[in-house]
Amino acid sequence: LKKKILFSINQVFKRQRQGILITGLFFLLPAVAATILFKYYPMVKTLWMSFFEYKTIFNPGAFVGLKNYIDMFQVSLFLKSWGNTLILGIFFILLGFWVPILQALLLSYIRKFQGFIRVLYLLPMVVPGVVAAYLWKWMFNPGNGLFNTLLIKFGGKPLLWLNDPDLVKFSLALPVLLGGGIAVLIYLAAIEGVPAQLYEAGDLDGMNAWMKIRYITLPSIKSIIKIQFILMVITVFQIFDAPFIMTGGGPVNESKTVSMLVYDYGFQRLQYGKSSTAAMGIFVVLVLMTIVQIATQKEENE
Amino acid sequence: MHSKIKSSSERVLRIAAVFYTAIVLVLLLFPFFWLVSSALKDNIQIYEKPPNLLPSVPVRQEVYVDYSMISDAENIDDIIMQDAVKIIWGINYQFRTDNIQKIKVNILDDNTLLYSFSASNYKIWDAAREIMKTISYSPEMIANHYIAISDWMNIKEYNKEIDLKGRSGDDTAIIKDYLDETYHIAGEVITTQKVKDYSQYANNFISAWVNAGEFDTSVNKLGFGRFIVNSIFVSFMVILAQLSISSLAGYSLSKLVTGKLGKLILLFFLATMMIPFIATLLPMYIIFNDFGLLNTLWALILPSTSWGFAIYLFKGFFDKLPNDLRDAARIDGASEINTFVRIMVPLSKPVFGVISLWSFLAVWNEFMWANITIQKPALWTYTVALYKIQQGSGSFAPNESMALNVIAIVPTLFIMLIFQKSIQKGIALTGIKG
């Protein structure tokens, strides 16, 4: 009897299988439509636009092939904005990448109030980017800002911060020095996931606490560190809001990032071909970084 | 922490951890403190150089005026009201560098307190702008406008005995002379006193909230609330879209369309993570222009209907639910959509929660796209409003814009405090990908 029932169930399934597939595709329809319309179509269109002259947004004008790309490399602002983005990215990574790792690592040695401290570390998350940008701008204010007040108090000279062409990129990256945010919890979760046996083995080998961090904890969370690093690079290459709000790209274009260049060419200079060309640059970087990320993950899984 | 034997190096590390964490948390919280402190400062303190760490306590100026001598006068009500307006406006103008946040005129009949007229500093300046179209004060001008101006005052009736002993300040004589000589007050100024008034800390918040409405006439009633309502609407719709569109797709890829085709479609969704939004900016603008959806909130909602990572998360979660559930429902003759809604969704609350939260945070903080597509002030989200307010017009002092920034943090702060457990769980659920 059992066999019979199973058989009949299979029959039902067979009949239904086609129906299920159609229903399934039907379920996928809205997501596929939205993805094509708002992701793939615009991306292809950007590529397409980058080959045209585009005098106005709705009129492609003459096909110019790779001319926009070649031109771009002769525009000093284009090269400068890539340079700015790179330097800004390096500042972000140097000042900020290691901070949440250290914070998580040390937090794992604190047992009292750990839950409360976690919540405090999450607090930067609640600050919308626009608010953070204006708050820092207010603290960087050369007139009566907090930083200059502190500098003067401790006998230093007041600085121009965001208004100083040499200092603007450093100033924009400075907030990351405080760390916090979701990254701390991600690292903490990873650290807590390290098997206790490893530490016990370390004890048997006579390792002290520093050696355990160096030879057990850090290697165990290496993959998370790598992925976080790649994600940070991806974020940094798209940075827009903070410089747009805090400096507008100035002074003298010293904080103009590639994303801002896309915006500038598109919505201020109305050179859509050039804007699309700059956008393609960011796309290529992102594709490369994603490939690196996938390769990293694969390597870790093996 | 990993063994019972505490080595000395571990003890050092533990102490270092406590110190470092304490210092970092102080530094991390300091910007929050500075934000709130700036928002609480008055219009003079905010420009102080060097700035004070803490805002000073707001001061209320009390003025006691006696009318027992002329209590029989025919138009005593008019006289009192005119006097109150003169006193409030006169003091606010003449002693503006004293940082008085509120002025309260107490009307006395001998020892009986009859009424009080009061107005906060920002209300007086607003009245100056709106009613008199000028901020220069003259007794004549006040006499001409006093009825309109009196709408801006808060009037309270008391009818109780009070004792004036000890209610006087160092500057009573100066204020008294000024009021008598310049404004010819009908009543007799008995005494004045400056008192601390903590409720006036709210002034910047109220005035900034109300004044934010001035960008557009249709915004006026809600003030800054209009922009928050817009943001809430957009976030709500995006969450709704995410939860329906992405969950259906995730479910389909997990239980319905499997095999090679399923893998291919999943890849199709996941590959969109390589497409930076900035790279699609112009075509998106063109699309929404073609749809006629620029300057509508749909321009902010629709782009978020496609989020590959959410589909991936949903699929991963549904994969963990046993297929037997679905099969049982099928044998009972339930349709796929019924199976999904009645059986799968109730089992998937955690993943729905996490995705709602991430969608909310992403959309709630969105700025660039909203700033490009929405020109109409009535439709600004709060991020765009904050940008417009702080970028240009000089009508907002830094303390007022900081007050708006504080307000802007509150919704996310609440959501984070309520859902912080869910956020921490979400880290595990998303496979620690960030």
Side-chain angles (χ1 to χ4, degrees), chain A residues 95-113:
Chain A
L95 290 177
F97 180 68
W98 52 274
V99 179
I101 304 175
L102 183 63
Q103 288 172 342
L105 200 59
L106 292 182
L107 182 55
S108 75
Y109 282 89
I110 296 176
R111 254 172 298 172
K112 270 186 189 166
F113 307 116

Side-chain angles (χ1 to χ4, degrees), chain A residues 79-151:
Chain A
L79 298 174
K80 189 173 188 83
S81 70
W82 274 103
N84 287 342
T85 309
L86 268 175
I87 296 170
L88 201 56
I90 290 170
F91 273 132
F92 267 97
I93 287 162
L94 286 183
L95 290 177
F97 180 68
W98 52 274
V99 179
I101 304 175
L102 183 63
Q103 288 172 342
L105 200 59
L106 292 182
L107 182 55
S108 75
Y109 282 89
I110 296 176
R111 254 172 298 172
K112 270 186 189 166
F113 307 116
Q114 209 205 55
F116 179 64
I117 297 171
R118 281 177 194 221
V119 176
L120 289 183
Y121 269 136
L122 269 182
L123 275 182
M125 254 180 77
V126 310
V127 185
V130 178
V131 173
Y134 279 111
L135 176 58
W136 283 93
K137 194 178 173 182
W138 173 238
M139 295 196 287
F140 280 131
N141 178 1
N144 64 343
L146 181 71
F147 291 126
N148 273 352
T149 307
L150 290 176
L151 272 182

Side-chain angles (χ1 to χ4, degrees), chain A residues 24 40 46 108 118 134 203, chain B residues 1 3 252 268 279 391 424 433:
Chain A
Y40 286 105
T46 299
S108 75
R118 281 177 194 221
Y134 279 111
D203 281 336
Chain B
M1 71 189 224
S3 79
S252 177
F268 166 85
Q391 202 61 23
Q424 303 198 11
K433 279 204 187 75

